[in-house]
Amino acid sequence: MKQKIIMTLNYTHPEQASCNILVHLLIIAFLIPIPVLGDDVKQNNYPDQVYPEYATGFSVDYHEGYKVVTVKKPWRGSNESFTYVLVKKGMKPPQLGIGEEIITIPSEKFVSLSSTHFPYLPILGVTSSLKGVINKNTVYTPEVISLIQDGKVIDVSGGGSGMTAGINLEVLIDLNPDLVMTYATGLPEYDAHPKLQEAGIPVVLNSEYMEENPLGRAEWIKFMSVFFDREREANAYFEKIKKEYLSHVDSVNSLNVTRPTVFLNNNWQGTWHMAGGNSYVAKLLKDAGADYLWSDETTTGSIPLDFEFVYEKTLHAHYCLNPGTAMNFKDLLGEDARYSEFDAFKSKKIYNNNARVNAEGGNDYWESGVAHPETILKDLIKIFHPEIVSEHNFVYYRHME
């Protein structure tokens, strides 16, 4: 119930009137409720915050003393989401909701089960936090290789196939990590996170591979940054590569030329897998000024096709990209002599993304390339419209001979 306050003012002298007015103003001031600090003010505990602009697979919410991170699309076709409550060391965690997990931050004993995480560590300035990897011989990031060689990073690989069997759980438990980051496919026989959770190991899913936009994939640096309190570094890096990427797109769009046609990959054991028209690869090709012959397909995954269908559609295409592990035309013809009939083969317009591969087959296109879509884009523009980036030298791509 609201109370009505009636104040009667009866002033006989100016001095008395001034005094009474001051008293009444003070009374009114005490009666006016003072607003309680809401989340907008509480968020000032985190002056540097991240919010996805292109990525659709995660969100970050800031609260007083903790952060809430949600992975929305952990794998293709999933209706699940995973929520992590990030609490600073020594702080009391909030009451958890159903399915939420506590992760203590900043991480100081980090284990990564995907090479796509490695290039972000030096960018964020937290490479020394890395303590464990899987398949150390395929690592390409120099800073991580250095830690492995110095014995500061341990290989937690097992002897089996699949992510679960491929992890030495005993070694991982002895390492006592405060955070393990991995990915998931939705296949129980392959995914590692359920086993790690059973063992009491803090594990987080990173699903950057689900993003359909190259900038969206790179933006997962923001996701990683929240576990190390390095949001400022993540924002600065992403703004830099975003600006460069979009600048190159503008240059391509200003061209008044016919876009060259292109197709992807190669025939492997009777099936030719073509990237869907809504995939991040198709987006890269469009941004680089190419006419991808499967751009009208709405899928984000790969499309299995037979050789004859691809042959008929691509025989006269201008370019072919990413033909498997082939290093030269001889390798391609060794796989299938019919490649020689394609116009792209005849005109020697075949390029592969294996310019940076180590002795064990680790391809940096799938490692640092995830963090550098602007560089991949420049490589592609160099292929299709070299006049725009005449000073650029290939980084991830190479012209096949």
Side-chain angles (χ1 to χ4, degrees), residues 51-61 68-84 205-208 210-211 220 223:
Y51 297 99
E53 182 179 355
Y54 293 85
T56 61
F58 74 92
S59 64
V60 183
D61 295 303
V68 177
V69 182
T70 302
V71 176
K72 302 176 182 179
K73 297 186 293 185
W75 57 81
R76 188 164 284 110
S78 173
N79 293 320
E80 295 184 57
S81 63
F82 290 78
T83 300
Y84 309 101
L205 295 183
N206 181 323
S207 59
E208 101 274 315
M210 289 288 294
E211 297 292 340
W220 279 72
F223 175 84

Side-chain angles (χ1 to χ4, degrees), residues 38 66 114 121 148-149 159 163 167 171 177 193 199 223 251 299-300 305 312 325 329 347 388:
Y66 66 98
S114 173
L121 300 178
I148 293 171
Q149 292 173 341
M163 184 65 81
I167 296 174
V171 171
H193 63 281
F223 175 84
S251 296
T299 181
T300 59
L305 303 166
E312 182 177 348
T325 58
F329 284 177
S347 60
I388 295 180

Side-chain angles (χ1 to χ4, degrees), residues 22 28 54 79 115 119 157 224 250 288 307 322 358 382 386:
L22 179 60
I28 292 171
Y54 293 85
N79 293 320
S115 62
S157 300
M224 288 193 63
D250 288 342
F307 185 97
N322 310 346
N358 67 18
K382 181 81 172 181

Side-chain angles (χ1 to χ4, degrees), residues 119-145:
Y120 295 128
L121 300 178
I123 295 169
L124 296 174
V126 295
T127 313
S128 61
S129 298
L130 183 66
K131 305 301 177 186
V133 299
I134 194 169
N135 301 326
K136 67 178 182 180
N137 293 330
T138 62
V139 176
Y140 204 97
T141 302
E143 294 86 347
V144 176
I145 292 174

